[in-house]
Amino acid sequence: MNPSMRYILKHLLTGKPLALSVVILALVAAIPAVANTNAVPAYTLEACIEIGLDRAAVLENAARDVEIAGAKVRQTRAQALPELKGSAAYTRVDEVVSYDLGSGPITMGKLDNYSAGLSASQLLFSGGQVSAALRAAKLYRNYSTLAAEQKRQALIRDIQTSFYGILLAAKQVEVEQESVRQLEDFVRQTEDKYRNGKASEFDLLTAQVRLANNRPDLVKARNQLAVAREAFRNLLHLDESDFALSGELSCAPEPTDLDALQRQGLEERREIKQQVIWVDLLQQNTTVARADYWPTIRAVAAYDGSNPDSYSTGTSDWGWHWSAGLTAEWSFMDGGLRGGKVLESKLELFKAETDLDELKKAVLLEIKQAHLDLQHAQEALTGSRENVLLAEKALAIARTRYEAGLSTYLEFTETNLALSTARLAYYSATRDYLDARARLDYACGAVNPSTTEEPAR
């Protein structure tokens, strides 16, 4: 079965939602698979993000952390709810005690003894300890949820940058292949001229050396592409060893406002939200520590029965009795244990507040750095685009000169390779811009990645 179709079938069986782009891509990929079962699956950036989010083990563990936090909420809530216990027991003794007072033996107890009962307790007052613990548990659940969102956004950023890196590596291979092909043609032409006496041995050796010097660059480019593809495959947990990426290195630069981006980062960045919750958690921890100075009061009640009745010397089978009351526990002296706990919790709170201030500064700096990288990439993109136009004009002139016999094939070849190199520089600048944009989106806590594109040159 086509891998894309397997992916859709898996989601349908598990009831998970699927992005429309993924469905369309899988259906389109399935058409050639009917005629060719060895067709290589092709994935768009959106499909890669969808697959990566679905298969990432780190996100699965993050979801489990959220569930664990929910379980802690239930555990803490249970402390404020009534507690009901039941008990039962059976005991058989080897003999019963009997006394003879002259009028006949008197038996105390029975060989078979039974007991059963119910007991209930309800916490009435704990100095705010339970309510603070419950708030802390809920805060921890929100903390875990934000941690899962942060990991999700980091994975999206990594998938984007890896996707663009593979596209650039593929362009690098294309340029190096074209360079080697043209130099091979130049070597063949030089060999023909050398045999016909129109080129010297020096010209032939020069052409062969240029070709030999370019071939390692092609091997290096292919290795870099292979490594990037394998890393991307591991990142997405793809089953296919061979796959294709459907996309172009293109972008549509947009104006950005640093102040607005920094405000967005302070409001939306998951790490800041997590640290704010962490401060609240430590505040609740301080409340719990202070609660030890107050008494703990519970209401208790019990209903017990025993056979024979422990309150009667008669021969009745079962005797049932109830009791109810209040219990209070109050520690008056503990050697400074409570004071130490309160002091520790306050100091931890002060540290967390300081960390929050430092984190905000770090986020602002990260956003500014990403913004500067984006501006630099945009300037490089503009310059490389103009360089491509100049290289295209130079190639047109070189072609005219070569066709008119005013230049050598080597001059035309070098001009053509210069155009390929200029285009590669343009693609590299485009990749740098897209990477910078992805990092800026992450630094600002953007929910949706930027995928605006324009036709590639």
Side-chain angles (χ1 to χ4, degrees):
M1 181 183 294
N2 181 271
S4 300
M5 294 305 296
R6 288 202 306 266
Y7 180 66
I8 288 184
L9 181 59
K10 172 186 173 183
H11 277 68
L12 293 177
L13 294 177
T14 57
K16 294 182 179 180
L18 270 173
L20 180 59
S21 61
V22 178
V23 177
I24 296 176
L25 174 64
L27 292 176
V28 172
I31 295 176
V34 176
N36 182 11
T37 57
N38 296 322
V40 177
Y43 300 102
T44 63
L45 175 59
E46 291 76 10
C48 290
I49 292 176
E50 183 77 15
I51 294 173
L53 294 179
D54 177 67
R55 301 182 181 181
V58 65
L59 296 186
E60 291 181 0
N61 288 334
R64 295 187 182 103
D65 288 338
V66 175
E67 294 178 0
I68 291 173
K72 290 183 179 294
V73 172
R74 292 193 295 271
Q75 295 173 25
T76 306
R77 185 184 293 116
Q79 301 179 35
L81 298 177
E83 183 179 351
L84 181 64
K85 295 182 178 179
S87 62
Y90 164 74
T91 304
R92 181 175 176 83
V93 298
D94 57 345
E95 62 179 347
V96 296
V97 179
S98 62
Y99 300 93
D100 190 353
L101 300 179
S103 60
I106 299 176
T107 302
M108 302 296 293
K110 295 182 177 181
L111 293 175
D112 296 310
N113 297 269
Y114 304 90
S115 64
L118 291 174
S119 63
S121 65
Q122 171 64 55
L123 180 65
L124 300 179
F125 180 78
S126 63
Q129 184 176 18
V130 174
S131 58
L134 182 58
R135 287 193 295 270
K138 292 180 179 179
L139 288 172
Y140 179 71
R141 180 173 57 186
N142 295 338
Y143 184 92
S144 301
T145 301
L146 286 172
E149 293 179 2
Q150 187 270 333
K151 292 177 181 177
R152 179 180 182 276
Q153 292 306 113
L155 180 59
I156 291 176
R157 176 201 60 195
D158 294 341
I159 292 175
Q160 285 180 284
T161 56
S162 298
F163 186 93
Y164 303 141
I166 292 178
L167 294 183
L168 179 61
K171 291 294 183 182
Q172 179 70 48
V173 171
E174 291 179 8
V175 170
E176 296 298 339
Q177 285 178 336
E178 180 64 18
S179 175
V180 170
R181 186 190 65 79
Q182 292 190 10
L183 289 175
E184 287 175 343
D185 291 342
F186 178 65
V187 168
R188 284 192 293 269
Q189 288 190 10
T190 306
E191 289 175 346
D192 293 339
K193 291 181 179 181
Y194 177 73
R195 286 192 295 268
N196 296 328
K198 297 181 179 180
S200 66
E201 184 179 4
F202 176 78
D203 294 333
L204 177 59
L205 293 176
T206 300
Q208 292 173 341
V209 169
R210 288 173 60 87
L211 175 60
N213 288 338
N214 269 73
R215 279 175 173 163
D217 294 335
L218 175 58
V219 174
K220 181 179 178 181
R222 285 173 174 171
N223 291 340
Q224 290 176 341
L225 176 59
V227 171
R229 286 175 57 85
E230 188 63 24
F232 189 74
R233 177 173 172 266
N234 292 336
L235 181 63
L236 267 64
H237 298 277
L238 290 176
D239 298 328
E240 302 82 16
S241 58
D242 192 13
F243 61 91
L245 297 184
S246 177
E248 292 290 338
L249 276 175
S250 60
C251 62
E254 298 177 355
T256 54
D257 184 353
L258 178 59
D259 293 335
L261 292 172
Q262 289 184 328
R263 288 194 300 271
Q264 179 184 349
L266 293 178
E267 294 175 359
E268 301 297 336
R269 187 68 177 262
R270 273 70 175 174
E271 291 92 331
I272 293 180
K273 291 183 178 181
Q274 284 182 278
Q275 189 63 24
V276 170
I277 291 178
W278 185 250
V279 171
D280 291 341
L281 275 169
L282 294 178
Q283 288 176 342
Q284 301 306 320
N285 189 39
T286 302
T287 301
V288 171
R290 288 173 176 169
D292 289 339
Y293 284 103
W294 295 91
T296 300
I297 302 175
R298 288 180 176 273
V300 295
Y303 185 66
D304 302 297
S306 60
N307 181 11
D309 189 356
S310 58
Y311 292 92
S312 174
T313 58
T315 59
S316 61
D317 291 337
W318 280 91
W320 295 94
H321 307 276
W322 63 269
S323 62
L326 296 174
T327 63
E329 296 181 2
W330 200 340
S331 176
F332 296 102
M333 186 173 66
D334 59 2
L337 177 62
R338 289 172 294 184
K341 290 182 178 179
V342 172
L343 178 60
E344 180 184 1
S345 62
K346 285 183 178 179
L347 293 175
E348 291 290 345
L349 176 59
F350 294 153
K351 286 175 56 181
E353 291 174 343
T354 302
D355 291 341
L356 177 59
D357 293 335
E358 293 300 315
L359 178 60
K360 289 180 179 179
K361 294 178 183 178
V363 168
L364 292 177
L365 179 60
E366 183 180 353
I367 293 174
K368 186 174 182 179
Q369 182 63 53
H371 185 260
L372 291 175
D373 291 343
L374 185 69
Q375 288 183 324
H376 176 73
Q378 186 170 349
E379 293 174 0
L381 184 62
T382 302
S384 62
R385 183 184 291 113
E386 294 175 354
N387 195 28
V388 169
L389 296 177
L390 294 176
E392 289 175 346
K393 292 180 180 179
L395 179 61
I397 295 174
R399 179 181 291 109
T400 302
R401 285 171 51 83
Y402 177 71
E403 292 174 352
L406 300 177
S407 65
T408 64
Y409 182 77
L410 178 60
E411 179 181 337
F412 171 73
T413 299
E414 290 181 341
T415 306
N416 195 17
L417 292 178
L419 175 59
S420 298
T421 303
R423 286 174 175 169
L424 182 60
Y426 170 76
Y427 288 127
S428 180
T430 303
R431 190 280 308 269
D432 292 342
Y433 179 87
L434 293 172
D435 281 356
R437 184 71 220 189
R439 291 194 299 270
L440 183 61
D441 286 341
Y442 176 80
C444 295
V447 177
N448 297 315
S450 300
T451 56
T452 304
E453 296 184 355
E454 66 174 1
R457 292 189 60 85

